[in-house]
Amino acid sequence: MGSKIAELLNKTATKIILAIVLGFMAGALALAVAGYDPGTSYSMMFTSIFSSPQNMIQVLILTMPNILTGLSVAFAFKTGLFNIGGEGQYIVGAIAAVMVGGVFNLPPVINVIVIMLAAFLAAGLYGALAGFLKAKFGIHEVITTIMLNWIALYLNNYLISLPGIGVKNTEYSFAIKQNAWTNVLNGWKTSPQGQAYLAAHPALSPILLGTDINYGIIIAIVVAVAVSFLLYRTTFGYQVRAVGLNKDAAEAAGIRVKKSIVMTMFIAGGLAGLAGALQMTGTLPHALVTLASQPGYGFNGITVALMANSSPIGCIFTALLLSALQFGGSTIQMNLGAPSEVVNIMIGVIVFFVAVASMFTMISERIKRRRVKIAD
Amino acid sequence: MLISILLAVSITLMYAAPLMFAGLGGVISENAGVVNIGIEGMMTIGAFCGAAVGYFSGNPWWGFAAGGLSGGLLALVHAVASISFRADQTISGVAINFIGPGLALFLSRKLFAGSAMTKPVEHPIPTIFGSYAAKSSNLLIKAANIEMTVPIVFICALVLWFVLYKTSWGLRIRSVGENPAAADTLGINVYKIKYVAVFVSGVLSGFGGATMTLAVMNYFTQSTISGQGFIALAAVIFGKWKPHGTMAACLLFGFAQALVVLLGGSNSKIQIPSSLLSMLPYVLTLVSLVLFVRHSTAPKADGIPYVKGH
């Protein structure tokens, strides 16, 4: 019995599940101390998601950027880099998407592809800059990417303040042209036939008209599969992982470590940039908005990647979990007045226990040792 | 002319003080071999507790002390992870950066009727000339009337420098950061030294946060701490992990923030868009790292968990 527990505790999946459980317990404690019933709060978070199809769709809409920023962090982790720059790369991706999608008139589908490529390239270069500073000057990527996050935020605000880009007397830039929106049944739902159909089918109209339902999450899942393929089925992916496992051995085996660092950050940046682009094409106002604080998706990506143990496919599910938590957190604030920031505390505690996963190994070893002693 | 220079200096000092506290926190933690990415989160909780306690007690010094204590307590969480459980110090620091702001906003909503912003503190940290400056007609005194937190941070820097380089305690701290195994064989309690260093690092970061809410602004909001913790960390690298170097780097970054205020004024001669100005401290931090970081090396065992007997 004891040895089984010890073995189980040593598995990565067990450690992560324990971290999540402990996160929920910490959240419950915070709620209880603040005078809210944790049971009621948690069940409300859960039931509110399934209370209406719109809410479920809202969670999926939130999940899309979190999958992509999660992939961004996970990819960088594989080569031993910590990409905290998802926020800035997301913003740069959004800027590129709006600049391309709001200016050029391209045929449908092609326009979305061009927007995504532009965002990937722009945000990729932004990420690669941090990679270059790491490879060339040895400056820790955590500090450079944080600085780049704030620079991107103010760049976004600066662009909106320009007369050719910002819409006068608003907080918005010009929008992406409607034929490049990735919303489900985009043109049809506002056309006369569509409106007539929706009037006859009242169950559909809150979903199609009341939410920003879009194809983004499907693209994000496809990208997750592609990233998984790139990491585990290609030479480049092998090199990335080799650098992550042992830099010196990789160097000795002829892998150009510095080039690999820059390339990895390019792809990581590009992935976060895609999140920004698809958010622009998929959700209102389809334009840049003046930012007072970081959008938050880049930091979400850290939690997503850590909970997934940097598995690209795992990121899909952990992003869904995180998005459900964040959506649920906003409903307890609305309905119970309980601070939604309890979710941030939970996330922090989960990340903390993922960081101290070695604690579970230590406990596991202690159980084993005690068994050996008893056997003696 | 003299007066405008003096004014620029005092605004620089005002913005540099929070960075200096946090930077000194980074110096002590990293000299003991623990990377502290969580400074940002410790500053945030310190900023909130400073404002909240300052508001409820009516005494800024209680707020200041509470800010330091809260930062120290949060730092202990990081210490447990990175010292006792040999966690990845960067990830643990990131966790602190989630928990600090999360806790601060959670408490703010609880204590200030659902608001993510505290009420303004009635009595902020006093200035060095206090009410004398208000009565005085001397413009020089008015311009040089800096907050008490500025001399305090310089005293802290002096004390830290003295402790690190002139006492046996400092020698122990530095040896733990350079070669913990050797320190251990000499009978130094490596874990204890690291714990104390990380705790003090948190207290200093908390002081930095409280300086933001009690001397620079007079309330706490979500964006009060927006990257200062990381700018302070950059200053540590820039300052070659030494207290005096870090202080100088913080002054430079504080000057960048002062420029945002000085050049952003409506009556200033050069009109620069405010978003570009706000970018300046971050750009300057990046550029200075690129230019100077090559000459900077971290303590040898910085960021590496110490396992006794390995």
Side-chain angles (χ1 to χ4, degrees), chain B residues 16-289:
Chain B
L19 297 177
M20 286 169 165
F21 276 117
L24 293 176
V27 167
I28 184 159
S29 173
E30 306 231 350
N31 268 286
V34 179
V35 168
N36 194 350
I37 299 281
I39 284 182
E40 178 95 353
M42 296 167 197
M43 282 184 89
T44 312
I45 194 74
F48 168 76
C49 288
V53 173
Y55 170 78
F56 286 115
S57 70
N59 183 334
W61 298 113
W62 280 115
F64 191 70
L69 186 66
S70 61
L73 290 176
L74 194 57
L76 280 183
V77 176
H78 181 57
V80 170
S82 51
I83 303 163
S84 296
F85 292 120
R86 313 195 286 266
D88 183 311
Q89 295 172 10
T90 310
I91 300 178
S92 163
V94 167
I96 298 295
N97 289 339
F98 279 114
I99 296 172
L103 209 56
L105 288 169
F106 184 88
L107 291 171
S108 171
R109 287 198 199 276
K110 185 68 202 154
L111 295 174
F112 294 90
S115 169
M117 194 168 141
T118 67
K119 291 221 169 70
V121 178
E122 210 174 315
H123 302 286
I125 299 263
T127 50
I128 49 171
F129 298 121
S131 54
Y132 175 72
K135 279 181 238 152
S136 161
S137 58
N138 189 336
L139 286 172
L140 277 177
I141 285 184
K142 278 184 193 290
N145 196 16
I146 47 175
E147 290 75 18
M148 291 291 278
T149 40
V150 175
I152 293 174
V153 77
F154 276 96
I155 293 169
C156 283
L158 208 64
V159 170
L160 184 62
W161 173 83
F162 185 81
V163 169
L164 271 182
Y165 300 104
K166 302 288 166 200
T167 67
S168 58
W169 249 91
L171 191 64
R172 283 183 208 151
I173 292 173
R174 286 183 294 130
S175 66
V176 162
E178 286 288 337
N179 192 339
D184 202 354
T185 54
L186 293 173
I188 294 171
N189 188 337
V190 175
Y191 292 129
K192 189 175 136 197
I193 297 265
K194 281 180 184 251
Y195 261 94
V196 172
V198 173
F199 178 73
V200 172
S201 158
V203 171
L204 287 166
S205 306
F207 282 159
T211 304
M212 249 346 255
T213 48
L214 291 166
V216 179
M217 318 157 82
N218 63 349
Y219 60 93
F220 169 84
T221 155
Q222 200 167 1
S223 59
T224 302
I225 303 299
S226 47
Q228 286 97 328
F230 289 98
I231 293 181
L233 278 179
V236 174
I237 299 174
F238 196 19
K240 300 181 185 176
W241 283 267
K242 293 184 169 66
H244 41 287
T246 303
M247 291 290 279
C250 287
L251 270 178
L252 179 67
F253 299 149
F255 178 62
Q257 289 190 318
L259 274 183
V260 177
V261 178
L262 291 170
L263 296 178
S266 51
N267 53 0
S268 108
K269 280 178 205 121
I270 337 156
Q271 284 299 327
I272 304 171
S274 66
S275 354
L276 282 188
L277 268 180
S278 308
M279 222 185 259
L280 189 70
Y282 308 104
V283 174
L284 188 73
T285 306
L286 262 189
V287 171
S288 55
L289 281 174

Side-chain angles (χ1 to χ4, degrees), chain A residues 215-255:
Chain A
Y215 297 113
I217 186 152
I218 298 170
I219 301 172
I221 291 171
V222 171
V223 172
V225 174
V227 168
S228 186
F229 182 85
L230 179 67
L231 270 175
Y232 296 104
R233 295 276 183 276
T234 65
T235 319
F236 174 69
Y238 174 77
Q239 290 179 349
V240 166
R241 288 182 294 126
V243 173
L245 287 173
N246 189 332
K247 213 188 262 181
D248 300 325
E251 185 97 68
I255 296 171

